Amino acid sequence: MTALRMLLEGLAQAPACLVEVESTQGSVPRERGAWMAVSGQGLVGTIGGGHLEYEAIAEARRRLACSEDSGVVRYPLGPSLGQCCGGVVHLRFTCVTAADAPALRTRLVQHFTPVALFGGGHVGHALARTLAPLPFALTWIDSRDGIFPDPAPDGVECEHSDPVQAAVPLLAPRSRVIIMSFSHAEDLDVVAACLKRQRTRGDLPFIGLIGSKTKWATFSHRLHERGFTPEELAQVTCPIGVPGIGGKEPEVIAVAVAAQLLQTLHPPT
């Protein structure tokens, strides 16, 4: 989101050439949808670096200089580019101006994965900052007033919801949900709302709850009393964060949770 903000702000000053990975074959530096923008003011984003990016920057500058229409160029990643990936990348080049900014933002945001973060405490603040430059579209939710920073981190949508669990049915499909509110009662209500949504829609790939194994044992008992089955409870991850990262500082927890969210995008093989 930081790169996207820089692109949109830069377009207010000068046009740019947007370079997007249109398609790929074989081993390549970046995935479909990756992008960079080249302007007279510099470079924003990356399509993977190396000689491929060097050639793409030169092509973007050429097109920008002559306002050439958009087009796709094929780049084989072999000896001619000084790269040994062995794959093929098709890059789309599009010259854009300030008039294109609204549509451009809508289109590029589609490549971000929605995340719903419940809780504006110390860990919530650290996690929001950590997620801001990553490929996530973050909705940050709390039941309290005056809890969010002003301004909010880049690309973060802050939402007040009282009761907080009322926000769950409105989350974007395929949202990853992280629950770390200021009270266990709110946490329990949000988890229950997520599981109810899973019963009818099944569109929340990750439901994570901050806390210990003891906390989850208590929550499991209470959720079972509310009618949720063991199979449904198994959809909740608690504790959260990739294992092996020690420390309970908010920033350390945020890194561990962010890494876990990234694993949901590209599970380890």
Side-chain angles (χ1 to χ4, degrees):
M1 296 300 288
T2 301
L4 179 56
R5 175 186 59 79
M6 293 174 63
L7 166 60
L8 299 179
E9 290 179 353
L11 286 178
Q13 307 300 320
C17 183
L18 181 67
V19 185
E20 301 171 271
V21 178
E22 176 92 349
S23 62
T24 65
Q25 298 171 336
S27 178
V28 296
R30 289 296 305 274
E31 70 286 353
R32 182 179 180 274
W35 62 268
M36 69 177 181
V38 181
S39 72
Q41 299 175 317
L43 177 69
V44 176
T46 178
I47 56 168
H51 204 68
L52 168 67
E53 189 161 291
Y54 177 82
E55 292 287 339
I57 291 171
E59 176 66 13
R61 287 174 174 162
R62 184 190 70 79
R63 288 174 179 265
L64 194 58
C66 60
S67 300
E68 187 172 330
D69 289 339
S70 64
V72 178
V73 180
R74 180 180 182 272
Y75 291 89
L77 304 182
S80 63
L81 276 183
Q83 295 189 227
C84 56
C85 298
V88 176
V89 178
H90 292 84
L91 298 179
R92 177 172 293 278
F93 295 82
T94 309
C95 291
V96 292
T97 67
D100 301 304
L104 200 57
R105 185 185 193 284
T106 299
R107 182 162 65 82
L108 293 180
V109 163
Q110 293 177 358
H111 294 292
F112 294 92
T113 298
V115 171
L117 170 59
F118 287 87
H122 293 301
V123 179
H125 278 248
L127 183 56
R129 293 192 299 268
T130 302
L131 294 180
L134 299 178
F136 297 110
L138 178 61
T139 301
W140 195 4
I141 306 159
D142 202 289
S143 63
R144 299 166 291 176
D145 292 319
I147 203 69
F148 301 117
D150 186 17
D154 287 336
V156 176
E157 297 290 336
C158 297
E159 180 179 323
H160 176 265
S161 180
D162 188 11
V164 69
Q165 68 270 18
V168 172
L170 305 178
L171 298 179
R174 309 297 298 169
S175 288
R176 276 66 172 166
V177 181
I178 299 294
I179 304 162
M180 49 177 65
S181 79
F182 73 96
S183 80
H184 283 198
E186 279 202 350
D187 283 352
L188 185 64
D189 287 339
V190 175
V191 172
C194 289
L195 293 178
K196 287 179 181 178
R197 173 165 170 161
Q198 288 295 83
R199 280 181 176 177
T200 58
R201 299 167 64 177
D203 63 348
L204 302 177
F206 183 84
I207 304 169
L209 171 68
I210 197 169
S212 62
K213 292 181 179 179
T214 301
K215 176 181 176 179
W216 179 237
T218 301
F219 272 41
S220 296
H221 178 72
R222 293 176 179 175
L223 290 165
H224 180 72
E225 291 180 338
R226 294 193 187 190
F228 294 104
T229 67
E231 291 75 18
E232 290 176 313
L233 298 180
Q235 298 176 75
V236 180
T237 298
C238 181
I240 51 175
V242 295
I245 297 180
K248 295 186 178 181
E249 299 88 345
E251 293 76 14
V252 173
I253 296 172
V255 169
V257 174
Q260 190 172 43
L261 289 174
L262 289 169
Q263 287 181 335
T264 72
L265 304 182
H266 308 288
T269 56

